[in-house]
Amino acid sequence: MKLLAAISHHGLGHLAQAGPVLAQLHALSPDLDLTVWSALGTEALQSRLPFSFCHRREAADVGLPMVDAVTVDKQVSLSVYLDFHDQWDRRVAGEADWLREQGFQAVFSDVAYLPLAAASQAAIPAVALCSLNWRDIASAYLGDESAMASVLTQMETAYLAATDFLRPAPSMPMEWLPQRRAISPIAARGTNRRAELAGMPGVHARDKWVLVGFGGIGYVRSLPRLPGITWLAPDGWANDRADVIPLRCIGLPFIDLVASCDALLTKVGYGSFVEAVAHGVPVLYIDRPDWPETPFLARWLDEHGNGLPVVEAEAFSPRAGEYLERLWKKPPKPVPQTNGATEAALFLRRLMTG
């Protein structure tokens, strides 16, 4: 079974969706011959794909260049889209030749559209999976740019060429995609390692532990000093503070930290929201009213978990403590089923085996 998986490199959220699907597919079909086409680093991919694969480390799409984890750079985004789509037809034809030469039986994309367009031209079945698509996202920020008209049409045509588009809950509606299929939420599962964490230097067992995660896009802020709270934060956030433990000093998988913490501080994002809810962890998140996914993700979080939006300035002020206390007073909700990875893996296996 030879499969190409194309994974967007816009942060780590697309890997958080695609990784569990590919891990389940490998468990179902240990003979899986996987090539991953993504600009993400090999180490990042290996953190979610604990088996052998080939890595084509190139960008399979553009995503949206960001100023930081919560702010889109519209001008740079316009430039990179126009460059990415320069001589589009020739580029698609070249990638279609490569797919045929490699002998792929299918293409799976979360949610790069160039591989979908190439697969269609190569007559190879292709499945997209994501809670969003880049045509809708790019249109929201750049749709008023006349130069983007042909780009958006090419993006739309590429997505329409996919055999199926799997939409894990919660997703944007994407009603213009007739081949869309709803599936259950996707979430990797971690191991609660509180006992192990409590024995590490600087970690106070009686404190509340708040994990900080902003999806792999460059972002560093100063965390407030809050009594009774220890922050588990990315490298670069600590600044030799006793109440901030750098993740490199912990050395545990991020998903295990999600399963072990008392709250998650993050931004609006599929992986963060669904993984936190799957582990019964409350979420304090920086609101992103301009991000097209926000209303759908926020509504799902309200229905299935405990979350509170906060403006960026207050997230890194003493007021964060007030929000966290409000979260911890909320009664827990039943953890929803997150079987989307298995559903998608079974779908892919049926596609590849007939």
Side-chain angles (χ1 to χ4, degrees):
M1 294 178 61
K2 189 162 186 177
L3 176 70
L4 173 69
I7 302 175
S8 290
H9 62 286
H10 186 262
L12 298 174
H14 296 272
L15 178 58
Q17 289 180 355
V21 174
L22 295 170
Q24 284 289 326
L25 182 60
H26 183 265
L28 292 168
S29 303
D31 63 336
L32 179 67
D33 182 355
L34 178 66
T35 295
V36 178
W37 179 3
S38 177
L40 290 172
T42 302
E43 186 176 349
L45 294 173
Q46 289 172 336
S47 71
R48 296 281 185 160
L49 304 174
F51 51 87
S52 177
F53 59 89
C54 296
H55 184 194
R56 177 183 173 182
R57 190 171 182 179
E58 296 178 20
D61 65 359
V62 171
L64 278 176
M66 308 290 291
V67 176
D68 56 33
V70 297
T71 309
V72 173
D73 192 324
K74 292 179 65 173
Q75 284 305 115
V76 173
S77 294
L78 175 62
S79 176
V80 296
Y81 267 106
L82 296 180
D83 182 65
F84 191 75
H85 282 258
D86 186 44
Q87 300 190 29
W88 176 252
D89 291 342
R90 180 183 298 181
R91 187 168 198 176
V92 171
E95 296 299 349
D97 289 342
W98 178 74
L99 292 176
R100 283 188 288 258
E101 291 165 2
Q102 294 295 313
F104 292 113
Q105 293 172 257
V107 169
F108 169 66
S109 180
D110 189 334
V111 65
Y113 53 91
L114 172 59
L116 298 175
S120 177
Q121 191 165 129
I124 297 171
V127 175
L129 177 148
C130 197
S131 56
L132 57 80
N133 67 82
W134 289 119
R135 179 266 195 190
D136 286 345
I137 300 296
S139 180
Y141 290 98
L142 304 171
D144 57 349
E145 300 283 350
S146 60
M148 282 291 292
S150 62
V151 170
L152 293 170
T153 297
Q154 289 164 347
M155 296 169 74
E156 181 172 324
T157 301
Y159 282 123
L160 287 168
T163 309
D164 296 271
F165 197 116
L166 306 182
R167 296 172 53 252
S171 286
M172 296 174 65
M174 298 185 263
E175 294 176 350
W176 58 275
L177 286 167
Q179 77 278 41
R180 67 193 184 279
R181 293 173 179 260
I183 62 173
S184 301
I186 294 174
R189 300 310 300 263
T191 301
N192 189 323
R193 302 174 74 168
R194 289 188 71 92
E196 188 176 344
L197 274 166
M200 292 184 177
V203 179
H204 302 288
R206 294 184 180 180
D207 278 4
K208 295 283 193 179
W209 302 341
V210 180
L211 178 63
V212 180
F214 282 86
I217 295 175
Y219 189 70
V220 179
R221 295 292 187 271
S222 179
L223 293 162
R225 297 177 186 270
L226 302 175
I229 289 178
T230 295
W231 302 97
L232 312 179
D235 302 343
W237 289 60
N239 296 323
D240 298 321
R241 282 173 45 181
D243 64 329
V244 184
I245 312 298
L247 299 187
R248 71 174 183 276
C249 296
I250 299 173
L252 296 177
F254 189 84
I255 193 64
D256 286 357
L257 298 180
V258 173
S260 307
C261 69
D262 295 291
L264 175 66
L265 173 62
T266 187
K267 61 179 175 63
V268 173
Y270 184 97
S272 300
F273 279 20
V274 178
E275 288 178 353
V277 169
H279 294 88
V281 173
V283 181
L284 180 62
Y285 64 93
I286 294 177
D287 200 6
R288 302 174 69 189
D290 64 314
W291 186 250
E293 269 190 300
T294 294
F296 310 104
L297 297 183
R299 186 182 308 127
W300 185 87
L301 177 61
D302 287 341
E303 291 174 358
H304 298 283
N306 289 324
L308 284 174
V310 61
V311 298
E312 187 176 16
E314 291 190 340
F316 303 108
S317 77
R319 285 216 63 194
E322 300 173 24
Y323 285 98
L324 288 167
E325 291 298 332
R326 284 170 56 189
L327 275 175
W328 288 322
K329 289 177 181 177
K330 290 175 176 279
K333 294 176 182 175
V335 174
Q337 293 292 318
T338 53
N339 299 324
T342 299
E343 294 171 21
L346 288 169
F347 185 91
L348 282 170
R349 188 173 71 161
R350 287 193 298 270
L351 180 73
M352 295 180 71
T353 61

PDB file of all heavy atoms in Angstrom, residues 305-338:
ATOM      1  N   GLY A 305     -16.898  21.027  26.117  1.00  0.00           N
ATOM      2  CA  GLY A 305     -15.844  21.220  27.105  1.00  0.00           C
ATOM      3  C   GLY A 305     -16.036  22.517  27.849  1.00  0.00           C
ATOM      4  O   GLY A 305     -17.104  23.139  27.803  1.00  0.00           O
ATOM      5  N   ASN A 306     -15.005  22.939  28.545  1.00  0.00           N
ATOM      6  CA  ASN A 306     -15.029  24.206  29.268  1.00  0.00           C
ATOM      7  C   ASN A 306     -13.939  25.112  28.728  1.00  0.00           C
ATOM      8  O   ASN A 306     -12.751  24.760  28.764  1.00  0.00           O
ATOM      9  CB  ASN A 306     -14.817  23.974  30.766  1.00  0.00           C
ATOM     10  CG  ASN A 306     -16.025  23.315  31.409  1.00  0.00           C
ATOM     11  OD1 ASN A 306     -17.166  23.600  31.039  1.00  0.00           O
ATOM     12  ND2 ASN A 306     -15.788  22.433  32.371  1.00  0.00           N
ATOM     13  N   GLY A 307     -14.346  26.246  28.198  1.00  0.00           N
ATOM     14  CA  GLY A 307     -13.391  27.187  27.650  1.00  0.00           C
ATOM     15  C   GLY A 307     -13.834  28.613  27.881  1.00  0.00           C
ATOM     16  O   GLY A 307     -15.024  28.887  28.063  1.00  0.00           O
ATOM     17  N   LEU A 308     -12.876  29.517  27.878  1.00  0.00           N
ATOM     18  CA  LEU A 308     -13.164  30.950  27.999  1.00  0.00           C
ATOM     19  C   LEU A 308     -12.266  31.706  27.031  1.00  0.00           C
ATOM     20  O   LEU A 308     -11.050  31.490  27.004  1.00  0.00           O
ATOM     21  CB  LEU A 308     -12.906  31.450  29.417  1.00  0.00           C
ATOM     22  CG  LEU A 308     -13.934  31.094  30.495  1.00  0.00           C
ATOM     23  CD1 LEU A 308     -13.439  31.561  31.861  1.00  0.00           C
ATOM     24  CD2 LEU A 308     -15.288  31.733  30.176  1.00  0.00           C
ATOM     25  N   PRO A 309     -12.862  32.614  26.231  1.00  0.00           N
ATOM     26  CA  PRO A 309     -12.037  33.463  25.374  1.00  0.00           C
ATOM     27  C   PRO A 309     -11.471  34.627  26.173  1.00  0.00           C
ATOM     28  O   PRO A 309     -12.065  35.082  27.158  1.00  0.00           O
ATOM     29  CB  PRO A 309     -13.028  33.951  24.316  1.00  0.00           C
ATOM     30  CG  PRO A 309     -14.342  33.971  25.040  1.00  0.00           C
ATOM     31  CD  PRO A 309     -14.295  32.835  26.031  1.00  0.00           C
ATOM     32  N   VAL A 310     -10.333  35.116  25.725  1.00  0.00           N
ATOM     33  CA  VAL A 310      -9.699  36.248  26.395  1.00  0.00           C
ATOM     34  C   VAL A 310      -8.954  37.046  25.340  1.00  0.00           C
ATOM     35  O   VAL A 310      -8.439  36.483  24.366  1.00  0.00           O
ATOM     36  CB  VAL A 310      -8.745  35.753  27.511  1.00  0.00           C
ATOM     37  CG1 VAL A 310      -7.637  34.878  26.943  1.00  0.00           C
ATOM     38  CG2 VAL A 310      -8.154  36.910  28.292  1.00  0.00           C
ATOM     39  N   VAL A 311      -8.928  38.363  25.480  1.00  0.00           N
ATOM     40  CA  VAL A 311      -8.125  39.165  24.559  1.00  0.00           C
ATOM     41  C   VAL A 311      -6.658  38.963  24.907  1.00  0.00           C
ATOM     42  O   VAL A 311      -6.302  38.623  26.041  1.00  0.00           O
ATOM     43  CB  VAL A 311      -8.511  40.656  24.618  1.00  0.00           C
ATOM     44  CG1 VAL A 311      -9.955  40.853  24.187  1.00  0.00           C
ATOM     45  CG2 VAL A 311      -8.272  41.234  26.008  1.00  0.00           C
ATOM     46  N   GLU A 312      -5.805  39.181  23.922  1.00  0.00           N
ATOM     47  CA  GLU A 312      -4.391  38.854  24.081  1.00  0.00           C
ATOM     48  C   GLU A 312      -3.761  39.560  25.283  1.00  0.00           C
ATOM     49  O   GLU A 312      -3.017  38.947  26.059  1.00  0.00           O
ATOM     50  CB  GLU A 312      -3.637  39.202  22.801  1.00  0.00           C
ATOM     51  CG  GLU A 312      -2.193  38.737  22.796  1.00  0.00           C
ATOM     52  CD  GLU A 312      -1.522  39.013  21.460  1.00  0.00           C
ATOM     53  OE1 GLU A 312      -2.067  39.828  20.672  1.00  0.00           O
ATOM     54  OE2 GLU A 312      -0.460  38.432  21.207  1.00  0.00           O
ATOM     55  N   ALA A 313      -4.059  40.835  25.479  1.00  0.00           N
ATOM     56  CA  ALA A 313      -3.431  41.580  26.576  1.00  0.00           C
ATOM     57  C   ALA A 313      -3.775  40.977  27.928  1.00  0.00           C
ATOM     58  O   ALA A 313      -2.923  40.889  28.827  1.00  0.00           O
ATOM     59  CB  ALA A 313      -3.850  43.045  26.517  1.00  0.00           C
ATOM     60  N   GLU A 314      -5.021  40.536  28.111  1.00  0.00           N
ATOM     61  CA  GLU A 314      -5.427  39.983  29.403  1.00  0.00           C
ATOM     62  C   GLU A 314      -4.895  38.577  29.620  1.00  0.00           C
ATOM     63  O   GLU A 314      -4.728  38.148  30.763  1.00  0.00           O
ATOM     64  CB  GLU A 314      -6.950  39.996  29.526  1.00  0.00           C
ATOM     65  CG  GLU A 314      -7.520  41.402  29.648  1.00  0.00           C
ATOM     66  CD  GLU A 314      -8.988  41.391  29.999  1.00  0.00           C
ATOM     67  OE1 GLU A 314      -9.655  40.355  29.781  1.00  0.00           O
ATOM     68  OE2 GLU A 314      -9.477  42.430  30.495  1.00  0.00           O
ATOM     69  N   ALA A 315      -4.623  37.861  28.545  1.00  0.00           N
ATOM     70  CA  ALA A 315      -4.080  36.508  28.690  1.00  0.00           C
ATOM     71  C   ALA A 315      -2.720  36.518  29.373  1.00  0.00           C
ATOM     72  O   ALA A 315      -2.343  35.536  30.030  1.00  0.00           O
ATOM     73  CB  ALA A 315      -3.965  35.838  27.321  1.00  0.00           C
ATOM     74  N   PHE A 316      -2.002  37.626  29.237  1.00  0.00           N
ATOM     75  CA  PHE A 316      -0.661  37.711  29.804  1.00  0.00           C
ATOM     76  C   PHE A 316      -0.581  38.780  30.894  1.00  0.00           C
ATOM     77  O   PHE A 316       0.460  39.389  31.115  1.00  0.00           O
ATOM     78  CB  PHE A 316       0.344  37.967  28.678  1.00  0.00           C
ATOM     79  CG  PHE A 316       0.289  36.912  27.606  1.00  0.00           C
ATOM     80  CD1 PHE A 316      -0.240  37.196  26.367  1.00  0.00           C
ATOM     81  CD2 PHE A 316       0.716  35.617  27.879  1.00  0.00           C
ATOM     82  CE1 PHE A 316      -0.320  36.215  25.388  1.00  0.00           C
ATOM     83  CE2 PHE A 316       0.634  34.633  26.916  1.00  0.00           C
ATOM     84  CZ  PHE A 316       0.117  34.920  25.665  1.00  0.00           C
ATOM     85  N   SER A 317      -1.702  38.978  31.560  1.00  0.00           N
ATOM     86  CA  SER A 317      -1.771  39.901  32.686  1.00  0.00           C
ATOM     87  C   SER A 317      -2.269  39.131  33.911  1.00  0.00           C
ATOM     88  O   SER A 317      -2.718  37.985  33.786  1.00  0.00           O
ATOM     89  CB  SER A 317      -2.739  41.041  32.361  1.00  0.00           C
ATOM     90  OG  SER A 317      -4.090  40.601  32.492  1.00  0.00           O
ATOM     91  N   PRO A 318      -2.222  39.737  35.099  1.00  0.00           N
ATOM     92  CA  PRO A 318      -2.761  39.049  36.277  1.00  0.00           C
ATOM     93  C   PRO A 318      -4.212  38.628  36.140  1.00  0.00           C
ATOM     94  O   PRO A 318      -4.667  37.717  36.837  1.00  0.00           O
ATOM     95  CB  PRO A 318      -2.574  40.092  37.377  1.00  0.00           C
ATOM     96  CG  PRO A 318      -1.390  40.903  36.936  1.00  0.00           C
ATOM     97  CD  PRO A 318      -1.524  40.992  35.449  1.00  0.00           C
ATOM     98  N   ARG A 319      -4.974  39.257  35.237  1.00  0.00           N
ATOM     99  CA  ARG A 319      -6.372  38.870  35.042  1.00  0.00           C
ATOM    100  C   ARG A 319      -6.509  37.431  34.542  1.00  0.00           C
ATOM    101  O   ARG A 319      -7.576  36.831  34.668  1.00  0.00           O
ATOM    102  CB  ARG A 319      -7.053  39.817  34.059  1.00  0.00           C
ATOM    103  CG  ARG A 319      -7.385  41.171  34.655  1.00  0.00           C
ATOM    104  CD  ARG A 319      -8.695  41.697  34.089  1.00  0.00           C
ATOM    105  NE  ARG A 319      -9.841  40.865  34.410  1.00  0.00           N
ATOM    106  CZ  ARG A 319     -11.019  40.968  33.808  1.00  0.00           C
ATOM    107  NH1 ARG A 319     -11.184  41.852  32.831  1.00  0.00           N
ATOM    108  NH2 ARG A 319     -12.029  40.198  34.155  1.00  0.00           N
ATOM    109  N   ALA A 320      -5.447  36.899  33.969  1.00  0.00           N
ATOM    110  CA  ALA A 320      -5.490  35.502  33.529  1.00  0.00           C
ATOM    111  C   ALA A 320      -5.835  34.582  34.688  1.00  0.00           C
ATOM    112  O   ALA A 320      -6.527  33.570  34.517  1.00  0.00           O
ATOM    113  CB  ALA A 320      -4.160  35.103  32.905  1.00  0.00           C
ATOM    114  N   GLY A 321      -5.366  34.930  35.876  1.00  0.00           N
ATOM    115  CA  GLY A 321      -5.679  34.127  37.054  1.00  0.00           C
ATOM    116  C   GLY A 321      -7.172  34.091  37.343  1.00  0.00           C
ATOM    117  O   GLY A 321      -7.714  33.053  37.734  1.00  0.00           O
ATOM    118  N   GLU A 322      -7.856  35.228  37.148  1.00  0.00           N
ATOM    119  CA  GLU A 322      -9.299  35.274  37.365  1.00  0.00           C
ATOM    120  C   GLU A 322     -10.035  34.369  36.373  1.00  0.00           C
ATOM    121  O   GLU A 322     -10.963  33.641  36.737  1.00  0.00           O
ATOM    122  CB  GLU A 322      -9.805  36.713  37.222  1.00  0.00           C
ATOM    123  CG  GLU A 322      -9.174  37.693  38.202  1.00  0.00           C
ATOM    124  CD  GLU A 322      -9.588  39.122  37.910  1.00  0.00           C
ATOM    125  OE1 GLU A 322     -10.665  39.307  37.283  1.00  0.00           O
ATOM    126  OE2 GLU A 322      -8.843  40.050  38.281  1.00  0.00           O
ATOM    127  N   TYR A 323      -9.601  34.413  35.116  1.00  0.00           N
ATOM    128  CA  TYR A 323     -10.220  33.554  34.105  1.00  0.00           C
ATOM    129  C   TYR A 323      -9.995  32.080  34.426  1.00  0.00           C
ATOM    130  O   TYR A 323     -10.902  31.252  34.276  1.00  0.00           O
ATOM    131  CB  TYR A 323      -9.666  33.885  32.721  1.00  0.00           C
ATOM    132  CG  TYR A 323     -10.187  35.163  32.121  1.00  0.00           C
ATOM    133  CD1 TYR A 323      -9.455  36.345  32.188  1.00  0.00           C
ATOM    134  CD2 TYR A 323     -11.422  35.201  31.465  1.00  0.00           C
ATOM    135  CE1 TYR A 323      -9.921  37.519  31.622  1.00  0.00           C
ATOM    136  CE2 TYR A 323     -11.905  36.366  30.906  1.00  0.00           C
ATOM    137  CZ  TYR A 323     -11.144  37.534  30.988  1.00  0.00           C
ATOM    138  OH  TYR A 323     -11.632  38.696  30.436  1.00  0.00           O
ATOM    139  N   LEU A 324      -8.784  31.744  34.841  1.00  0.00           N
ATOM    140  CA  LEU A 324      -8.490  30.350  35.171  1.00  0.00           C
ATOM    141  C   LEU A 324      -9.338  29.872  36.343  1.00  0.00           C
ATOM    142  O   LEU A 324      -9.864  28.748  36.326  1.00  0.00           O
ATOM    143  CB  LEU A 324      -6.993  30.196  35.474  1.00  0.00           C
ATOM    144  CG  LEU A 324      -6.065  30.299  34.261  1.00  0.00           C
ATOM    145  CD1 LEU A 324      -4.613  30.453  34.709  1.00  0.00           C
ATOM    146  CD2 LEU A 324      -6.208  29.076  33.356  1.00  0.00           C
ATOM    147  N   GLU A 325      -9.503  30.709  37.342  1.00  0.00           N
ATOM    148  CA  GLU A 325     -10.335  30.313  38.477  1.00  0.00           C
ATOM    149  C   GLU A 325     -11.781  30.091  38.046  1.00  0.00           C
ATOM    150  O   GLU A 325     -12.449  29.164  38.524  1.00  0.00           O
ATOM    151  CB  GLU A 325     -10.264  31.379  39.584  1.00  0.00           C
ATOM    152  CG  GLU A 325      -8.909  31.467  40.290  1.00  0.00           C
ATOM    153  CD  GLU A 325      -8.553  30.171  41.007  1.00  0.00           C
ATOM    154  OE1 GLU A 325      -9.471  29.423  41.423  1.00  0.00           O
ATOM    155  OE2 GLU A 325      -7.343  29.911  41.149  1.00  0.00           O
ATOM    156  N   ARG A 326     -12.261  30.924  37.141  1.00  0.00           N
ATOM    157  CA  ARG A 326     -13.622  30.723  36.611  1.00  0.00           C
ATOM    158  C   ARG A 326     -13.723  29.386  35.876  1.00  0.00           C
ATOM    159  O   ARG A 326     -14.716  28.663  36.014  1.00  0.00           O
ATOM    160  CB  ARG A 326     -13.994  31.868  35.677  1.00  0.00           C
ATOM    161  CG  ARG A 326     -14.343  33.175  36.390  1.00  0.00           C
ATOM    162  CD  ARG A 326     -14.471  34.323  35.401  1.00  0.00           C
ATOM    163  NE  ARG A 326     -15.453  34.042  34.351  1.00  0.00           N
ATOM    164  CZ  ARG A 326     -15.616  34.808  33.270  1.00  0.00           C
ATOM    165  NH1 ARG A 326     -14.845  35.892  33.101  1.00  0.00           N
ATOM    166  NH2 ARG A 326     -16.532  34.509  32.370  1.00  0.00           N
ATOM    167  N   LEU A 327     -12.688  29.056  35.121  1.00  0.00           N
ATOM    168  CA  LEU A 327     -12.691  27.779  34.409  1.00  0.00           C
ATOM    169  C   LEU A 327     -12.731  26.602  35.377  1.00  0.00           C
ATOM    170  O   LEU A 327     -13.475  25.637  35.171  1.00  0.00           O
ATOM    171  CB  LEU A 327     -11.440  27.666  33.528  1.00  0.00           C
ATOM    172  CG  LEU A 327     -11.485  28.290  32.136  1.00  0.00           C
ATOM    173  CD1 LEU A 327     -10.124  28.180  31.473  1.00  0.00           C
ATOM    174  CD2 LEU A 327     -12.538  27.606  31.269  1.00  0.00           C
ATOM    175  N   TRP A 328     -11.933  26.672  36.421  1.00  0.00           N
ATOM    176  CA  TRP A 328     -11.836  25.557  37.360  1.00  0.00           C
ATOM    177  C   TRP A 328     -13.100  25.384  38.201  1.00  0.00           C
ATOM    178  O   TRP A 328     -13.314  24.323  38.785  1.00  0.00           O
ATOM    179  CB  TRP A 328     -10.592  25.724  38.226  1.00  0.00           C
ATOM    180  CG  TRP A 328      -9.321  25.473  37.462  1.00  0.00           C
ATOM    181  CD1 TRP A 328      -9.123  24.536  36.504  1.00  0.00           C
ATOM    182  CD2 TRP A 328      -8.095  26.197  37.570  1.00  0.00           C
ATOM    183  NE1 TRP A 328      -7.853  24.614  36.009  1.00  0.00           N
ATOM    184  CE2 TRP A 328      -7.187  25.626  36.637  1.00  0.00           C
ATOM    185  CE3 TRP A 328      -7.659  27.265  38.352  1.00  0.00           C
ATOM    186  CZ2 TRP A 328      -5.870  26.081  36.482  1.00  0.00           C
ATOM    187  CZ3 TRP A 328      -6.357  27.721  38.200  1.00  0.00           C
ATOM    188  CH2 TRP A 328      -5.469  27.136  37.279  1.00  0.00           C
ATOM    189  N   LYS A 329     -13.931  26.418  38.248  1.00  0.00           N
ATOM    190  CA  LYS A 329     -15.197  26.292  38.974  1.00  0.00           C
ATOM    191  C   LYS A 329     -16.307  25.678  38.133  1.00  0.00           C
ATOM    192  O   LYS A 329     -17.352  25.303  38.661  1.00  0.00           O
ATOM    193  CB  LYS A 329     -15.631  27.673  39.489  1.00  0.00           C
ATOM    194  CG  LYS A 329     -14.759  28.200  40.629  1.00  0.00           C
ATOM    195  CD  LYS A 329     -15.188  29.595  41.056  1.00  0.00           C
ATOM    196  CE  LYS A 329     -14.295  30.111  42.172  1.00  0.00           C
ATOM    197  NZ  LYS A 329     -14.665  31.509  42.564  1.00  0.00           N
ATOM    198  N   LYS A 330     -16.088  25.597  36.836  1.00  0.00           N
ATOM    199  CA  LYS A 330     -17.107  25.014  35.960  1.00  0.00           C
ATOM    200  C   LYS A 330     -17.180  23.501  36.164  1.00  0.00           C
ATOM    201  O   LYS A 330     -16.142  22.843  36.283  1.00  0.00           O
ATOM    202  CB  LYS A 330     -16.779  25.304  34.491  1.00  0.00           C
ATOM    203  CG  LYS A 330     -16.946  26.754  34.063  1.00  0.00           C
ATOM    204  CD  LYS A 330     -16.475  26.931  32.619  1.00  0.00           C
ATOM    205  CE  LYS A 330     -16.727  28.347  32.134  1.00  0.00           C
ATOM    206  NZ  LYS A 330     -18.115  28.543  31.716  1.00  0.00           N
ATOM    207  N   PRO A 331     -18.357  22.915  36.215  1.00  0.00           N
ATOM    208  CA  PRO A 331     -18.451  21.460  36.346  1.00  0.00           C
ATOM    209  C   PRO A 331     -17.956  20.778  35.075  1.00  0.00           C
ATOM    210  O   PRO A 331     -18.195  21.274  33.965  1.00  0.00           O
ATOM    211  CB  PRO A 331     -19.949  21.209  36.548  1.00  0.00           C
ATOM    212  CG  PRO A 331     -20.617  22.410  35.956  1.00  0.00           C
ATOM    213  CD  PRO A 331     -19.681  23.563  36.169  1.00  0.00           C
ATOM    214  N   PRO A 332     -17.259  19.665  35.216  1.00  0.00           N
ATOM    215  CA  PRO A 332     -16.781  18.965  34.008  1.00  0.00           C
ATOM    216  C   PRO A 332     -17.932  18.425  33.184  1.00  0.00           C
ATOM    217  O   PRO A 332     -19.004  18.112  33.712  1.00  0.00           O
ATOM    218  CB  PRO A 332     -15.912  17.837  34.582  1.00  0.00           C
ATOM    219  CG  PRO A 332     -16.411  17.636  35.979  1.00  0.00           C
ATOM    220  CD  PRO A 332     -16.873  18.981  36.457  1.00  0.00           C
ATOM    221  N   LYS A 333     -17.693  18.315  31.878  1.00  0.00           N
ATOM    222  CA  LYS A 333     -18.690  17.772  30.954  1.00  0.00           C
ATOM    223  C   LYS A 333     -18.251  16.384  30.496  1.00  0.00           C
ATOM    224  O   LYS A 333     -17.053  16.071  30.507  1.00  0.00           O
ATOM    225  CB  LYS A 333     -18.863  18.705  29.757  1.00  0.00           C
ATOM    226  CG  LYS A 333     -19.451  20.057  30.121  1.00  0.00           C
ATOM    227  CD  LYS A 333     -19.523  20.980  28.919  1.00  0.00           C
ATOM    228  CE  LYS A 333     -20.076  22.351  29.316  1.00  0.00           C
ATOM    229  NZ  LYS A 333     -20.042  23.302  28.191  1.00  0.00           N
ATOM    230  N   PRO A 334     -19.191  15.555  30.076  1.00  0.00           N
ATOM    231  CA  PRO A 334     -18.808  14.234  29.560  1.00  0.00           C
ATOM    232  C   PRO A 334     -17.871  14.371  28.366  1.00  0.00           C
ATOM    233  O   PRO A 334     -18.083  15.213  27.497  1.00  0.00           O
ATOM    234  CB  PRO A 334     -20.146  13.614  29.144  1.00  0.00           C
ATOM    235  CG  PRO A 334     -21.187  14.381  29.904  1.00  0.00           C
ATOM    236  CD  PRO A 334     -20.651  15.770  30.068  1.00  0.00           C
ATOM    237  N   VAL A 335     -16.840  13.548  28.364  1.00  0.00           N
ATOM    238  CA  VAL A 335     -15.872  13.597  27.269  1.00  0.00           C
ATOM    239  C   VAL A 335     -16.504  12.969  26.023  1.00  0.00           C
ATOM    240  O   VAL A 335     -16.987  11.839  26.073  1.00  0.00           O
ATOM    241  CB  VAL A 335     -14.583  12.848  27.651  1.00  0.00           C
ATOM    242  CG1 VAL A 335     -13.634  12.760  26.457  1.00  0.00           C
ATOM    243  CG2 VAL A 335     -13.890  13.552  28.826  1.00  0.00           C
ATOM    244  N   PRO A 336     -16.528  13.687  24.897  1.00  0.00           N
ATOM    245  CA  PRO A 336     -17.161  13.145  23.694  1.00  0.00           C
ATOM    246  C   PRO A 336     -16.301  12.062  23.042  1.00  0.00           C
ATOM    247  O   PRO A 336     -15.094  11.961  23.293  1.00  0.00           O
ATOM    248  CB  PRO A 336     -17.276  14.369  22.781  1.00  0.00           C
ATOM    249  CG  PRO A 336     -16.131  15.233  23.189  1.00  0.00           C
ATOM    250  CD  PRO A 336     -15.983  15.042  24.679  1.00  0.00           C
ATOM    251  N   GLN A 337     -16.927  11.260  22.208  1.00  0.00           N
ATOM    252  CA  GLN A 337     -16.195  10.275  21.424  1.00  0.00           C
ATOM    253  C   GLN A 337     -15.354  10.998  20.364  1.00  0.00           C
ATOM    254  O   GLN A 337     -15.817  11.948  19.738  1.00  0.00           O
ATOM    255  CB  GLN A 337     -17.168   9.316  20.733  1.00  0.00           C
ATOM    256  CG  GLN A 337     -17.930   8.413  21.693  1.00  0.00           C
ATOM    257  CD  GLN A 337     -17.015   7.408  22.377  1.00  0.00           C
ATOM    258  OE1 GLN A 337     -16.137   6.815  21.739  1.00  0.00           O
ATOM    259  NE2 GLN A 337     -17.216   7.215  23.661  1.00  0.00           N
ATOM    260  N   THR A 338     -14.118  10.550  20.199  1.00  0.00           N
ATOM    261  CA  THR A 338     -13.234  11.137  19.189  1.00  0.00           C
ATOM    262  C   THR A 338     -12.691  10.006  18.315  1.00  0.00           C
ATOM    263  O   THR A 338     -11.516   9.659  18.376  1.00  0.00           O
ATOM    264  CB  THR A 338     -12.085  11.919  19.850  1.00  0.00           C
ATOM    265  OG1 THR A 338     -11.416  11.075  20.810  1.00  0.00           O
ATOM    266  CG2 THR A 338     -12.606  13.145  20.571  1.00  0.00           C
TER     267      THR A 338
END
